[in-house]
Amino acid sequence: MMASWTPQPAGLQEILQTIRDSTDTQNKVQRTITHKLNSFTRVPDYIAYLAYILSAMPQEEDQIRTIAGYLLKNNARLILNASPEVVEYAKSAVLSAFRDSSALIRTAAGQDLVAFLGALEPRNWPDCLEQLLTMLDDPNNQEAAFSVFEKACEDFPRKLDIEINGTRPLDFMIPKFLMLSEHPSAKMRSHAVACLSYFVPVSSQSLFAHIDAFIACLFKRASDEDPSVRRHVCQALVLLLAARPEKLMPEMPNVAEYMLYSTKDKNESVALEACEFWLTFAEDPELAPYLRPLLGRVAPVLLDCMIYGEDDLIWLEGDTEDTTVPDKESDIKPRHYGGKSHGMEREGHQNSEEGAKRGAYGEENLDEEEDDDFDLDDDDDFADEMSTEWNLRKCAAAALDVLAVRFGAELLNVLLSPLKDKLWSTDWLERESAILALGAMAEGCIDAIEEHLKVLVPYLINTLNDPKPLVRSITCWTLGRYASWCTQPVSEEHKNQYFIPTMEGLLRMVLDDNKRVQEAGCSAFATLEEDAGTELIPYLEPVLRNLVFAFQKYQHKNMLILYDAVGTLADSVGRALSNPTFVEILMPPLTARWNKLQDDDDDLIPLLECLASVTIAMGPGFAPYAPLVFQRCVNIVHQQLLYYQAYQQNPELDEPEKSFLVVSLDLLSGLAQGLGMGLEALISQMQPNLFQLLTVCLKHPQAPVRQSAYALVGDLAMGCFSLLRPQLPAIMNELIQQLDPEPKVEFISACNNAAWSVGEVALRYGRDDPEFQQWVNLLISRLIPILLHPKAPRSLHENAAVSIGRIGLMHPVLVAPLLPEFAQAWCQALYEIRDNEEKDSAFRGLCTLVQVNPAGIAKSLLWFCNAIVRWNNPSAELNAMFSQLLTGFRNHDPTGWRAQVATFPPTIQERLAARYGV
């Protein structure tokens, strides 16, 4: 029985006509149609019209009715604000269309049912669940109904796991699904296992009440002849392993046998689900004891899964010399430029600048801990763009990576023999997969594999001559994974045997005639640059000549990676790049690119990013290029701020892309760091005025813009303070506003840079400066809560502590009374930071505060002494301050001092005695 809503003929015709027009393929028409369809969403009963066209107009073509169905699915959320008549009509119309004689209409209606159930929630439409459950017994409709259930269980299992009027629908559904898992039709069995499995991750009690029956059902279906059923069995076992491992452990020998067997399944989608099982198993450290006895069988199977399949090879067209073939624009992934963030290096940690590791199997392996902004470059899934989707090869490599971290030498012992066989195989596909495996194991097995590297690295360098591009490209990646070993400055012999040949080999690959090899070579070379650092300086000329030659050779996509390699080189060798010979080699091709690109060309972004590193490294050597670069950056900032202003006045416009603004501010920061007071003439003469623009950027609604603007304030304070000083009264008020103890995640980096820059400004004003004094209490009252806030990110604690120390160094009388509030947290924030100038000035500040208020440190003495002895080589001035304070404490109350030091951990006592004689 249909509800009481009826369509208006004119409205119906208009919507119908628009849908008919939408089948026209011309772009211009399409844009108007899209606009028109969007405007219909404001019509209160739009969804009822669409439901009417779908269900009650059999005279229309199926295509038109189906499009109405898809529009209904995409606008399903509108049902939440519709009138009761419209809601009732739409629901009953879709249920009636679900029984239509046309398969196309039934499919569209099925998708609408899922969308409506998701929007309304099943608790508000129990009638639909009942009808669908009834249909599961009707041979004509059961498959379609089950298909709706599968999608709903996948999309919103929690919304189904509820109570309606005192009963739980799942208490009926789960036993029903278990029964249907034995249905004669493979599609029905597949739906049944899939639906059941989706309730595992949400720990549904209705499913767990039947957990033993569910596991028995999985074992029964494990040998199903249908691959789709087996795939869902594997998927369910993976989900159980993650959610209820204790249920699988007693059965582990059988499950492991089955999963090993399935990982070798001829059907790749079954093999991939089974392979996920080993990845999940390896990722859970508590399951390691169960996995260890299986290593000997699992690892070789994973190794076999890493061989390219025939389908991959068809896609990869790997053998072509395609360096002159232009890229398809669709191959170039969008890059997100995050802007610079000010962080500290911690002792014993790799610096977070590594950012995204350059991986070969898909998903970025980011370190969860870091709160830096990552520039998620293309170079991670370098191995197979076509299959940026997850596949068996990548899953096996990722599983091997995790196993290596978990088991190290044990894994290597298992794989040594099969790896040797594959590395020396006559089949290039076997060799290629073994080289991928070596790279995947690099992080976890490095200690165990080290003794073999003396043979393996020359083998890899030699393999760079392989005729197969796919072998050359994977070899680049694997050499990049061992770059830190190759670049160790242990001896001349090590350098000549491993470092120089690796560097030369990768540079040859940078100029390969195959684009995939160029990309892999360039990414690996950037990794080598990071690891080698200043060790590269003696070879700068040949390195630069090779990279510069690539500018002439590369197509669009690899050009972006080349910018990254040049920028990383500049970061790694620093001021050595200012040698006039090097400036002469590098600047002409960069200038040529610069002149070729318009101000709104997306390719300008990575070029500006690269130039920011180059300017800092070249320093005064960059001076001849500075006026043009400075003027263009200021122009881009001005233009982008105007675009944003227009958008704020007219929100119908698209929000402007922030990257141009961010990267131009970062390049201005680079100029300030590289040239310092050399910018004086440019800043004072050029229009529009930099400081006026900067003040607008400091208030910009987009956090990354503010983040780069605060970094620029700090860099201008360091490089050309006398020019910045007159502007500071306006700037400081903005900076103070930004200091927030619990910033939203997207504001963390902006807050970090603000906290860092106020410390730089305080230092430059100098001791007890009356102008800066007006801000001291405001700043300290915001920085201390950041330092004490348990949820503030670590980087923010560090930057806040450094700035408190620096402000204290300049204004000790104002800050010293507050010492007891923050002394312990301050020492905890900074004791692990590597020695550097920032840390030195911050500690000189703390010592000055202790001199003014010695009682203020009394309760935190252990942490203070710990922070002192953690220094490796403090400056002479700081060391004298430490010595004077410690001696003063001891002489003030020798007995009390001895008693207190006796309670310290032994290492602290030993170092205090050895270094300071206290």
Side-chain angles (χ1 to χ4, degrees):
M1 115 103 203
M2 282 287 184
S4 60
W5 177 87
T6 48
Q8 300 296 323
L12 181 63
Q13 278 315 310
E14 190 183 359
I15 292 176
L16 259 178
Q17 192 51 49
T18 311
I19 292 178
R20 291 192 191 112
D21 293 345
S22 74
T23 58
D24 188 330
T25 51
Q26 285 177 318
N27 269 342
K28 274 211 286 283
V29 182
Q30 282 297 348
R31 261 202 295 273
T32 335
I33 301 291
T34 309
H35 194 74
K36 199 156 181 192
L37 288 171
N38 287 341
S39 71
F40 288 149
T41 59
R42 300 193 191 97
V43 178
D45 48 0
Y46 178 46
I47 56 169
Y49 280 100
L50 293 173
Y52 182 85
I53 297 169
L54 174 72
S55 66
M57 301 193 76
Q59 69 277 26
E60 287 294 327
E61 285 177 38
D62 278 4
Q63 185 193 11
I64 301 298
R65 295 171 64 197
T66 307
I67 293 175
Y70 285 121
L71 288 169
L72 189 54
K73 177 189 79 166
N74 294 340
N75 290 293
R77 311 278 314 155
L78 296 176
I79 199 168
L80 296 173
N81 305 320
S83 67
E85 304 85 63
V86 169
V87 172
E88 283 316 307
Y89 179 80
K91 285 174 8 184
S92 55
V94 168
L95 276 169
S96 109
F98 190 56
R99 298 173 184 269
D100 196 275
S101 58
S102 153
L104 275 174
I105 305 300
R106 290 197 301 275
T107 305
Q111 295 185 328
D112 292 337
L113 286 174
V114 176
F116 278 178
L117 276 169
L120 291 166
E121 301 210 6
R123 70 173 74 241
N124 300 316
W125 195 12
D127 182 40
C128 178
L129 289 184
E130 277 174 37
Q131 291 204 34
L132 286 168
L133 269 171
T134 318
M135 286 186 213
L136 287 179
D137 294 325
D138 168 1
N140 298 322
N141 291 311
Q142 58 187 181
E143 217 174 88
F146 223 161
S147 163
V148 170
F149 270 127
E150 181 175 336
K151 196 79 188 87
C153 296
E154 181 178 9
D155 288 353
F156 40 85
R158 280 195 169 77
K159 291 179 185 174
L160 290 161
D161 194 10
I162 38 114
E163 201 170 279
I164 305 178
N165 308 330
T167 60
R168 301 184 72 80
L170 281 189
D171 291 345
F172 302 98
M173 287 159 63
I174 300 279
K176 185 85 180 158
F177 295 163
L178 284 165
M179 197 178 79
L180 289 169
S181 72
E182 310 213 3
H183 196 280
S185 147
K187 276 198 170 150
M188 294 291 285
R189 297 196 300 276
S190 174
H191 286 314
V193 176
C195 285
L196 290 162
S197 72
Y198 293 128
F199 292 104
V200 175
V202 298
S203 303
S204 161
Q205 288 318 303
S206 304
L207 174 67
F208 286 167
H210 298 277
I211 186 105
D212 294 325
F214 176 46
I215 290 176
C217 146
L218 293 177
F219 284 162
K220 201 163 192 178
R221 291 276 64 81
S223 53
D224 201 295
E225 76 269 14
D226 183 79
S228 170
V229 177
R230 296 200 304 279
R231 180 172 76 84
H232 284 302
V233 168
C234 291
Q235 184 186 359
L237 288 167
V238 172
L239 293 169
L240 275 170
L241 182 67
R244 296 289 301 270
E246 78 287 352
K247 278 288 172 196
L248 287 187
M249 288 312 130
E251 299 286 349
M252 204 55 213
N254 295 333
V255 175
E257 278 307 322
Y258 175 64
M259 282 305 194
L260 277 166
Y261 178 74
S262 299
T263 308
K264 299 184 255 190
D265 199 296
K266 294 276 179 289
N267 181 300
E268 177 158 337
S269 63
V270 176
L272 175 56
E273 283 301 337
C275 191
E276 292 278 359
F277 182 82
W278 305 115
L279 182 54
T280 304
F281 208 154
E283 278 170 342
D284 185 344
E286 291 181 9
L287 297 181
Y290 297 96
L291 184 51
R292 181 172 276 111
L294 299 169
L295 260 189
R297 298 188 54 204
V298 175
V301 170
L302 292 174
L303 191 57
D304 290 336
C305 290
M306 286 157 69
I307 295 178
Y308 272 123
E310 285 173 21
D311 298 349
D312 293 327
L313 293 176
I314 295 165
W315 267 99
L316 291 169
E317 301 169 347
D319 288 351
T320 49
E321 293 190 357
D322 57 0
T323 186
T324 55
V325 181
D327 294 329
K328 295 202 281 286
E329 287 307 303
S330 57
D331 289 344
I332 296 162
K333 295 194 215 122
R335 295 158 57 94
H336 301 290
Y337 180 67
K340 49 186 276 184
S341 187
H342 202 276
M344 309 280 215
E345 297 186 19
R346 289 187 271 281
E347 284 292 340
H349 288 278
Q350 279 292 299
N351 187 10
S352 61
E353 282 300 307
E354 273 194 323
K357 292 184 199 152
R358 298 180 163 88
Y361 22 86
E363 285 34 68
E364 261 327 321
N365 3 6
L366 294 187
D367 296 329
E368 304 294 316
E369 312 303 323
E370 295 299 353
D371 27 48
D372 273 278
D373 273 284
F374 290 110
D375 184 2
L376 299 187
D377 272 351
D378 287 1
D379 41 26
D380 60 310
D381 6 311
F382 97 98
D384 354 21
E385 294 89 356
M386 78 84 189
S387 48
T388 34
E389 89 272 359
W390 199 229
N391 60 17
L392 181 61
R393 167 186 165 90
K394 287 181 181 176
C395 184
L400 204 60
D401 188 348
V402 182
L403 285 172
V405 172
R406 186 80 61 234
F407 297 109
E410 295 172 76
L411 177 71
L412 186 65
N413 291 338
V414 166
L415 284 182
L416 213 47
S417 169
L419 267 175
K420 275 187 182 153
D421 294 345
K422 285 191 192 299
L423 286 170
W424 302 104
S425 162
T426 51
D427 178 352
W428 72 270
L429 287 167
E430 297 256 340
R431 290 199 303 279
E432 194 278 344
S433 67
I435 294 167
L436 168 60
L438 277 179
M441 293 158 63
E443 189 185 350
C445 293
I446 188 69
D447 295 338
I449 229 166
E450 196 156 344
E451 57 177 296
H452 303 282
L453 288 179
K454 293 190 165 80
V455 178
L456 284 173
V457 168
Y459 166 88
L460 290 169
I461 292 166
N462 188 38
T463 308
L464 293 173
N465 300 313
D466 195 285
K468 290 283 180 191
L470 288 171
V471 175
R472 299 199 297 279
S473 63
I474 199 65
T475 305
C476 289
W477 179 72
T478 295
L479 275 169
R481 298 272 286 181
Y482 290 104
S484 55
W485 181 83
C486 299
T487 55
Q488 287 169 352
V490 275
S491 67
E492 274 303 303
E493 188 191 11
H494 183 92
K495 190 184 336 186
N496 293 327
Q497 276 190 315
Y498 308 109
F499 172 49
I500 295 176
T502 302
M503 177 179 67
E504 288 174 342
L506 288 175
L507 278 173
R508 265 204 340 275
M509 297 303 99
V510 166
L511 297 177
D512 197 89
D513 283 333
N514 176 276
K515 290 195 285 195
R516 179 183 308 282
V517 179
Q518 294 169 359
E519 185 180 357
C522 212
S523 291
F525 194 75
T527 306
L528 182 88
E529 292 170 340
E530 279 171 3
D531 287 327
T534 51
E535 295 291 313
L536 276 173
I537 291 173
Y539 315 101
L540 260 177
E541 187 169 341
V543 167
L544 283 168
R545 291 199 188 283
N546 274 278
L547 293 178
V548 162
F549 190 65
F551 274 104
Q552 300 163 30
K553 187 163 187 165
Y554 278 13
Q555 296 298 332
H556 187 177
K557 182 179 176 202
N558 286 349
M559 191 69 81
L560 304 179
I561 297 164
L562 182 58
Y563 289 138
D564 179 49
V566 171
T568 305
L569 180 67
D571 296 338
S572 303
V573 301
R575 210 30 67 87
L577 204 58
S578 64
N579 175 328
T581 316
F582 303 154
V583 177
E584 278 304 298
I585 298 173
L586 182 56
M587 285 313 293
L590 289 177
T591 316
R593 297 288 304 165
W594 166 272
N595 292 333
K596 214 167 108 178
L597 298 170
Q598 297 296 311
D599 283 356
D600 57 357
D601 189 322
D602 284 340
D603 283 3
L604 194 60
I605 294 169
L607 174 59
L608 294 177
E609 190 185 343
C610 164
L611 277 172
S613 295
V614 170
T615 353
I616 296 170
M618 286 186 178
F622 194 82
Y625 304 92
L628 278 172
V629 172
F630 184 88
Q631 180 71 66
R632 187 166 186 182
C633 286
V634 168
N635 290 347
I636 293 175
V637 170
H638 186 220
Q639 190 54 57
Q640 292 293 326
L641 290 174
L642 290 175
Y643 288 151
Y644 204 86
Q645 194 181 354
Y647 161 73
Q648 285 174 308
Q649 287 159 1
N650 177 9
E652 291 283 299
L653 296 170
D654 288 340
E655 185 172 17
E657 166 54 57
K658 60 185 175 297
S659 298
F660 286 102
L661 201 43
V662 169
V663 78
S664 300
L665 289 167
D666 287 350
L667 180 43
L668 288 166
S669 271
L671 286 167
Q673 288 175 64
L675 295 164
M677 284 307 287
L679 288 182
E680 183 170 14
L682 295 176
I683 290 180
S684 52
Q685 289 161 17
M686 285 207 183
Q687 289 303 324
N689 178 278
L690 172 64
F691 291 118
Q692 287 170 344
L693 298 175
L694 180 55
T695 322
V696 180
C697 293
L698 292 171
K699 304 184 176 113
H700 200 282
Q702 293 172 316
V705 177
R706 296 199 303 277
Q707 171 189 334
S708 289
Y710 298 129
L712 180 53
V713 171
D715 288 324
L716 287 167
M718 291 162 77
C720 31
F721 182 69
S722 59
L723 305 176
L724 179 69
R725 183 168 180 158
Q727 317 294 329
L728 277 166
I731 288 176
M732 285 305 289
N733 294 328
E734 289 303 326
L735 282 177
I736 291 166
Q737 293 304 311
Q738 194 66 52
L739 299 173
D740 178 358
E742 207 174 342
K744 291 189 185 141
V745 173
E746 63 272 26
F747 295 171
I748 289 172
S749 294
C751 194
N752 253 334
N753 284 0
W756 165 76
S757 61
V758 295
E760 289 295 344
V761 170
L763 279 189
R764 302 304 180 275
Y765 264 106
R767 185 76 184 238
D768 295 324
D769 182 279
E771 184 175 34
F772 191 84
Q773 250 171 7
Q774 61 180 320
W775 301 306
V776 170
N777 288 328
L778 282 169
L779 285 168
I780 294 293
S781 66
R782 283 184 168 247
L783 288 166
I784 291 177
I786 292 177
L787 182 60
L788 299 179
H789 199 294
K791 286 212 177 76
R794 188 169 173 175
S795 58
L796 201 47
H797 282 156
E798 292 163 2
N799 279 319
V802 166
S803 284
I804 290 171
R806 291 171 146 191
I807 296 169
L809 180 63
M810 295 301 151
H811 300 271
V813 179
L814 294 177
V815 182
L818 302 167
L819 190 58
E821 278 183 47
F822 65 79
Q824 179 174 329
W826 195 98
C827 295
Q828 286 168 328
L830 292 185
Y831 75 87
E832 282 192 305
I833 299 294
R834 288 189 193 166
D835 297 1
N836 63 23
E837 206 296 309
E838 278 181 33
K839 181 180 171 184
D840 198 278
S841 59
F843 268 85
R844 293 201 309 278
L846 185 74
C847 291
T848 309
L849 296 175
V850 176
Q851 286 164 355
V852 175
N853 179 11
I857 200 76
K859 288 206 164 72
S860 324
L861 202 56
L862 166 60
W863 286 102
F864 182 51
C865 292
N866 173 53
I868 290 177
V869 300
R870 284 298 192 98
W871 274 84
N872 295 321
N873 36 5
S875 65
E877 184 185 355
L878 179 60
N879 206 36
M881 291 174 101
F882 286 156
S883 184
Q884 184 194 351
L885 283 171
L886 292 167
T887 315
F889 287 142
R890 185 193 60 192
N891 296 346
H892 174 67
D893 174 9
T895 323
W897 172 257
R898 273 201 302 277
Q900 184 150 16
V901 172
T903 65
F904 291 177
T907 43
I908 299 183
Q909 293 188 42
E910 287 158 20
R911 287 185 187 176
L912 285 173
R915 289 188 195 172
Y916 302 104
V918 291

